[in-house]
Amino acid sequence: MHIHEKQRRMVSFGAATICTKLVSTSPNFLKPELVCPAGNLPALKAAVDAGGDTVYMGFRNASNARNFEGLNFNRDEAEAGIAYAHDHGARVFVAVNTSPGIYDASAWTSSIDMASELGADAIILSDMALLGYAKERHPRLRRHLSVQASACNHESLNFYAREFGIRRAVMPRVLTLDAIRDIGSRTSVEIEIFVSGGLCVMAEGRCWLSSYVTGDSPNMRGVCSPAHAVRFEEQEGTLEVKLDGVLVNRFAPDAPAAYPTLCKGRFEACGMEGHVMEDPYSLNALDMLPQIFDAGIAGLKIEGRQRGKHYVREVVATWRAAVDACAADPENYTARPEWMARLDATSEGGDHTAGAYVDEWR
Amino acid sequence: MLQLKVLPQPDLFLRLLPPAAQAKTLQILINRIFPANTLGQLQPLHGKRFVFRTPGRELNLLMCMDSQGIHISRDGNAQADVTIRGDLGALMALCLGLEDTDTLFFSRRLLLTGDTSTGLLFKNVLANLDFDLKSELERYLGSRAADLLWRMAEQAIAAVEHIDKRLLDVQGSLVQRFGLLSAEQGRTMELELSKLADAQADIMRRLDRRSRATRRA
């Protein structure tokens, strides 16, 4: 059986560490847990049916970073979704990963309360006040640190573990895999990384591009490029995308389109014209699975709570097959072309990148 | 899973209908297919007006929703909150939750213009319907007929996916073999049917005038 480097290290750290790790993670710990997106109940069921170990979701308010019109779960839907997942042996994490404003945090604290009442397996938080609230009010509910907290080094993770008892952290997408492995070796906090789906400028929790143009950001309102500010206009096949009246992109007839975000807009800057901040490609780390296993990563996160059940089913099934293949024979594992093609066919830009996990990413 | 992209010309049956019958046919089909208990979930969309338009304007329909159901009319040039443009396969995939709409948007098969908030709400409300097309077909056709239809569709999909890169060739051969209509032929047929419908309407008007004249006499 394949034993990761981190697990071997854990053995050397002694029985207490082993106990903490094994009790706190899924039965699948020998291979990383597949953490799958669900923006609604049909998508949650699709993720579970396609082999997701865990589903992550949010409630229908500004408390999570996908606060789009009609998306997410009300109480009844969340209750049904958590029951469905548990009945099928899957876990559910609830994201409450935005920051409240200065006047009223009730939507955030009530979301934490509801996640606990409904039996969520963990809550994903970024704001320190909310971490403190969850620790105090719901000490038995596992606390994970959201990517929105932008914790980029082991000192930071150890601080959150010491002060707020976090058990897992989602790594910002600015780090190479070697850096993540190094961070993981210096903390008892489990490491979860994004492996698939949409990318942004990777300054999670610190990006104010959307706020600069529209007044709303993912950090406090849970929306990047809120729909009220987006306008699509098509003239003779050319698609123009405007954000609060500002032209941010133009697509030739039949050219693949991208999300209407400022970071993926095309601009003139420094004598260049094009994607000066970010190319509209999707993250795909299928090629790196053996190295990811070897780095002792606990969770593989698939982005896409804004996507429908067909996307979720397709992507989760593909990743399930790849993770199982790598677990069975990591030394001879290769990402199959048909897996790559299936993911590319549904991805933004129709192409993929390994993002910051490899050094050559710009 | 059934995906409409593999059906060579999903709007074929609509093209064979006179334009006047298209809206009514769609309205009946959609209200039959949507389970009654899901109509309540469409409540956030009540009062909003959506225009559906295919690229060549073969289809140009206005859709509204209320507690009674979904209403479709030919008033496709009316003022709308959102205009949804796409081939009929993409439009049906959106309405019936058969494909991921962001994927359709990335590939330029689907575009929402107008009030993007309402458009996004429309997309997400539909995506949230816990709607299983096979179950609905069973409800509508009975389990045996639905199962047969589904298996035929799955077999067809498996066959077409196997030769996906040659889809256009397959379409061509199907057209030749079974005498189905190509896109161009479909448009010509629609034009002819439209003329026939106009002629029919003209005859009905004359008959009506004659009938009134007879009654007066």
Side-chain angles (χ1 to χ4, degrees):
Chain A
M1 183 174 284
H2 178 63
I3 303 286
H4 321 146
E5 184 184 319
K6 182 161 184 177
Q7 286 169 289
R8 286 197 295 271
R9 273 199 307 275
M10 279 159 42
V11 171
S12 70
F13 287 170
T17 308
I18 295 171
C19 188
T20 306
K21 288 275 183 180
L22 293 184
V23 168
S24 65
T25 55
S26 73
N28 242 359
F29 186 60
L30 286 178
K31 49 186 173 187
E33 176 184 27
L34 208 48
V35 184
C36 310
N40 54 44
L41 190 54
L44 182 147
K45 291 178 178 176
V48 171
D49 294 347
D53 298 304
T54 296
V55 178
Y56 67 101
M57 54 176 271
F59 297 130
R60 202 167 288 157
N61 57 34
S63 71
N64 72 91
R66 288 288 184 281
N67 177 28
F68 292 111
E69 284 84 346
L71 200 69
N72 295 316
F73 292 71
N74 63 24
R75 187 185 182 94
D76 290 344
E77 291 161 348
E79 190 169 15
I82 291 171
Y84 187 88
H86 287 173
D87 286 348
H88 291 76
R91 303 199 299 170
V92 178
F93 299 165
V94 174
V96 183
N97 58 349
T98 54
S99 290
I102 55 175
Y103 298 112
D104 183 9
S106 59
W108 285 258
T109 53
S110 63
S111 294
I112 295 170
D113 297 339
M114 189 155 79
S116 178
E117 287 161 21
L118 295 177
D121 298 280
I123 192 154
I124 308 168
L125 300 156
S126 61
D127 186 274
M128 280 192 244
L130 298 179
L131 279 158
Y133 177 88
K135 181 187 175 189
E136 185 184 320
R137 300 290 181 95
H138 306 287
R140 294 170 64 84
L141 180 61
R142 270 176 71 98
R143 291 172 294 284
H144 291 184
L145 190 66
S146 169
V147 68
Q148 285 286 105
S150 243
C152 294
N153 55 63
H154 71 276
E155 296 283 12
S156 179
L157 298 192
N158 289 337
F159 166 80
Y160 280 106
R162 189 170 62 245
E163 298 300 324
F164 302 109
I166 64 158
R167 309 281 283 279
R168 180 181 290 194
V170 186
M171 290 289 97
R173 289 167 280 185
V174 292
L175 302 165
T176 63
L177 193 56
D178 285 341
I180 293 170
R181 179 201 300 268
D182 184 65
I183 292 169
S185 72
R186 296 162 187 260
T187 179
S188 63
V189 174
E190 295 170 6
I191 302 295
E192 182 174 306
I193 62 170
F194 279 94
V195 290
S196 186
L199 286 172
C200 54
V201 287
M202 334 283 175
E204 287 106 334
R206 297 172 185 173
C207 178
W208 297 97
L209 281 173
S210 174
S211 186
Y212 175 69
V213 180
T214 71
D216 289 336
S217 78
N219 312 324
M220 296 183 73
R221 290 292 306 157
V223 281
C224 177
S225 294
H228 68 74
V230 176
R231 286 292 178 276
F232 297 105
E233 293 168 7
E234 197 173 49
Q235 293 291 336
E236 295 176 357
T238 297
L239 174 63
E240 289 194 346
V241 183
K242 291 179 179 170
L243 209 49
D244 245 6
V246 179
L247 180 66
V248 297
N249 219 331
R250 184 181 284 138
F251 301 97
D254 297 325
Y259 283 129
T261 57
L262 201 56
C263 61
K264 285 168 193 157
R266 279 182 275 200
F267 306 97
E268 287 179 17
C270 307
M272 287 169 46
E273 186 180 323
H275 297 105
V276 297
M277 284 180 265
E278 174 72 17
D279 293 317
Y281 296 148
S282 291
L283 176 66
N284 180 341
L286 274 181
D287 270 334
M288 309 180 75
L289 261 185
Q291 297 96 300
I292 290 170
F293 271 54
D294 195 51
I297 305 299
L300 308 181
K301 189 163 205 156
I302 296 170
E303 185 274 348
R305 281 195 288 135
Q306 72 282 10
R307 307 293 292 266
K309 63 182 176 185
H310 294 280
Y311 172 85
V312 171
R313 182 183 294 116
E314 192 79 358
V315 174
V316 173
T318 304
W319 273 93
R320 178 77 278 153
V323 168
D324 289 350
C326 188
D329 188 4
E331 288 175 7
N332 293 308
Y333 168 87
T334 53
R336 292 186 194 158
E338 62 265 30
W339 294 339
M340 291 296 198
R342 281 172 81 182
L343 296 184
D344 283 349
T346 58
S347 73
E348 186 180 21
D351 205 346
H352 64 268
T353 171
Y357 296 146
V358 290
D359 282 333
E360 60 260 33
W361 179 73
R362 75 177 171 103
Chain B
M1 179 47 70
L2 183 64
Q3 293 191 8
L4 286 175
K5 66 180 178 184
V6 301
L7 302 179
Q9 288 177 25
D11 54 342
L12 190 62
F13 79 100
L14 278 175
R15 287 200 192 137
L16 292 172
L17 294 170
Q22 288 179 353
K24 191 71 183 167
T25 306
L26 262 183
Q27 177 169 314
I28 292 168
L29 275 175
I30 287 179
N31 279 292
R32 290 253 186 179
I33 289 172
F34 269 100
N37 61 359
T38 61
L39 288 176
Q41 293 181 50
L42 303 177
Q43 198 274 335
L45 302 171
H46 288 181
K48 301 292 184 185
R49 294 158 68 87
F50 301 89
V51 161
F52 291 84
R53 192 169 288 159
T54 48
R57 296 201 173 207
E58 296 92 350
L59 200 70
N60 198 27
L61 301 172
L62 174 70
M63 183 172 87
C64 308
M65 293 172 223
D66 61 25
S67 56
Q68 303 302 308
I70 298 163
H71 308 280
I72 297 175
S73 67
R74 292 181 65 205
D75 197 12
N77 294 319
Q79 194 79 24
D81 296 286
V82 180
T83 298
I84 303 168
R85 187 193 57 74
D87 58 77
L88 195 73
L91 295 179
M92 289 176 73
L94 169 73
C95 292
L96 299 177
L98 296 173
E99 244 182 286
D100 177 67
T101 45
D102 286 11
T103 303
L104 295 170
F105 166 72
F106 294 148
S107 60
R108 302 288 295 274
R109 286 185 60 200
L110 190 71
L111 179 66
L112 277 67
T113 55
D115 179 9
T116 311
S117 295
T118 303
L120 193 59
L121 180 66
F122 179 72
K123 173 203 136 176
N124 284 328
V125 165
L126 291 180
N128 195 27
L129 297 178
D130 212 354
F131 179 85
D132 178 45
L133 184 58
K134 191 179 177 191
S135 303
E136 296 313 315
L137 284 174
E138 282 174 4
R139 194 172 63 87
Y140 187 47
L141 300 172
S143 60
R144 188 172 288 183
D147 195 48
L148 181 68
L149 185 66
W150 197 260
R151 275 191 284 125
M152 284 170 61
E154 284 183 332
Q155 284 169 10
I157 288 164
V160 174
E161 280 182 344
H162 183 62
I163 48 172
D164 199 30
K165 288 179 184 169
R166 298 182 57 209
L167 183 57
L168 289 175
D169 294 343
V170 174
Q171 264 185 264
S173 62
L174 281 172
V175 166
Q176 282 184 347
R177 177 98 185 263
F178 299 109
L180 299 178
L181 302 177
S182 68
E184 187 54 42
Q185 287 171 319
R187 275 191 284 277
T188 308
M189 177 64 85
E190 187 189 21
L191 194 64
E192 294 304 318
L193 284 169
S194 165
K195 287 179 188 169
L196 276 174
D198 289 345
Q200 189 184 21
D202 188 45
I203 289 168
M204 292 303 289
R205 275 194 300 274
R206 289 184 195 183
L207 282 173
D208 194 40
R209 276 203 299 271
R210 186 170 294 178
S211 165
R212 280 195 302 252
T214 308
R215 278 200 300 274
R216 278 199 300 272

